[in-house]
Amino acid sequence: MRLILIYCRIMKTNTFITLSTATANVGVLIGLIFLLFELKQTRRIALSEIRQERVSGIIAQCSANARDVAFSEMYHRVFVDAEFSLLENVEIKGQLLQHEFARFYRLEDSYFQHTIGLMDYAPYRFSMEMAVNRQPLWDFLGLDTKTRNSDWATDLNAFKSSPNYSPSDWREKFIAWVESKTKETETL
């Protein structure tokens, strides 16, 4: 009888240990679930902050351009009316180069943010498309993407070949203008 009582006490202790271990494991599991929710929320907040910063930067740049009447006119004539002959003026070319440096770094930042998982695909795709459309201008201005970020340059070339990309009319007109200038130079 005494043996049975000792056996029952051992069983009760084992049952208690088993139940307390199971309860602790359930607690750890619940803690991990809460941690995952918190990480998702933190990621959303980071994405929101990055988007807000980008939009604020774009708004600031556009507002500054709008206040500069001469730059606004030049920008419209080059990018809307496709008056590329304005780029033969050194001052205009220099001013546009500075503007495109800012655009280049903003678009490159979009690439970086997307590669580390902090930017959704839609704004990334828009940035890649804009960068590919600007590449001929950047080449003309001497802004070399390969030298500045070779990984991005490789991905831009891949994007250019993808079925998701169709070149803008502006890009096609600019390439044709550059080719016509090259032919004029060769015939001289």
Side-chain angles (χ1 to χ4, degrees):
M1 181 73 157
R2 194 163 191 208
L3 210 52
I4 293 173
L5 283 173
I6 293 173
Y7 179 74
C8 285
R9 282 187 184 158
I10 291 173
M11 287 304 290
K12 285 182 182 178
T13 305
N14 283 343
T15 303
F16 176 74
I17 291 171
T18 303
L19 286 175
S20 64
T21 302
T23 304
N25 288 340
V26 168
V28 168
L29 184 61
I30 290 171
L32 287 174
I33 290 170
F34 281 127
L35 180 63
L36 286 173
F37 283 123
E38 190 175 321
L39 287 173
K40 278 187 173 183
Q41 184 177 11
T42 302
R43 183 177 185 277
R44 281 190 217 127
I45 290 169
L47 285 171
S48 175
E49 288 174 350
I50 289 167
R51 182 170 173 86
Q52 188 174 17
E53 281 289 320
R54 288 180 43 73
V55 169
S56 294
I58 291 168
I59 289 170
Q61 184 176 3
C62 290
S63 296
N65 292 346
R67 287 187 295 273
D68 184 344
V69 175
F71 183 82
S72 292
E73 178 188 343
M74 180 269 301
Y75 190 89
H76 186 273
R77 289 173 65 187
V78 170
F79 290 103
V80 176
D81 298 338
E83 288 184 39
F84 304 121
S85 60
L86 292 174
L87 297 174
E88 294 169 1
N89 178 306
V90 176
E91 289 176 6
I92 290 175
K93 188 176 179 181
Q95 194 173 18
L96 193 60
L97 174 64
Q98 296 307 311
H99 181 269
E100 289 301 312
F101 264 127
R103 180 181 305 279
F104 173 88
Y105 286 117
R106 191 170 57 247
L107 295 174
E108 182 193 31
D109 181 61
S110 297
Y111 172 77
F112 171 74
Q113 297 295 335
H114 181 73
T115 57
I116 64 170
L118 291 177
M119 181 179 278
D120 293 330
Y121 182 73
Y124 162 75
R125 186 193 173 292
F126 177 80
S127 295
M128 290 292 280
E129 187 170 301
M130 180 171 277
V132 169
N133 284 328
R134 284 294 210 257
Q135 261 186 324
L137 174 63
W138 294 345
D139 292 342
F140 176 79
L141 295 172
L143 205 165
D144 186 10
T145 56
K146 292 175 199 93
T147 302
R148 296 184 184 282
N149 187 329
S150 61
D151 292 339
W152 188 40
T154 301
D155 287 353
L156 284 173
N157 284 332
F159 183 81
K160 192 185 325 178
S161 308
S162 78
N164 294 332
Y165 171 69
S166 61
S168 69
D169 290 340
W170 183 90
R171 181 182 199 277
E172 297 298 317
K173 289 176 185 176
F174 186 79
I175 290 171
W177 178 77
V178 169
E179 287 173 356
S180 74
K181 295 301 290 172
T182 305
K183 288 178 183 172
E184 280 180 26
T185 306
E186 289 173 357
T187 57
L188 296 177

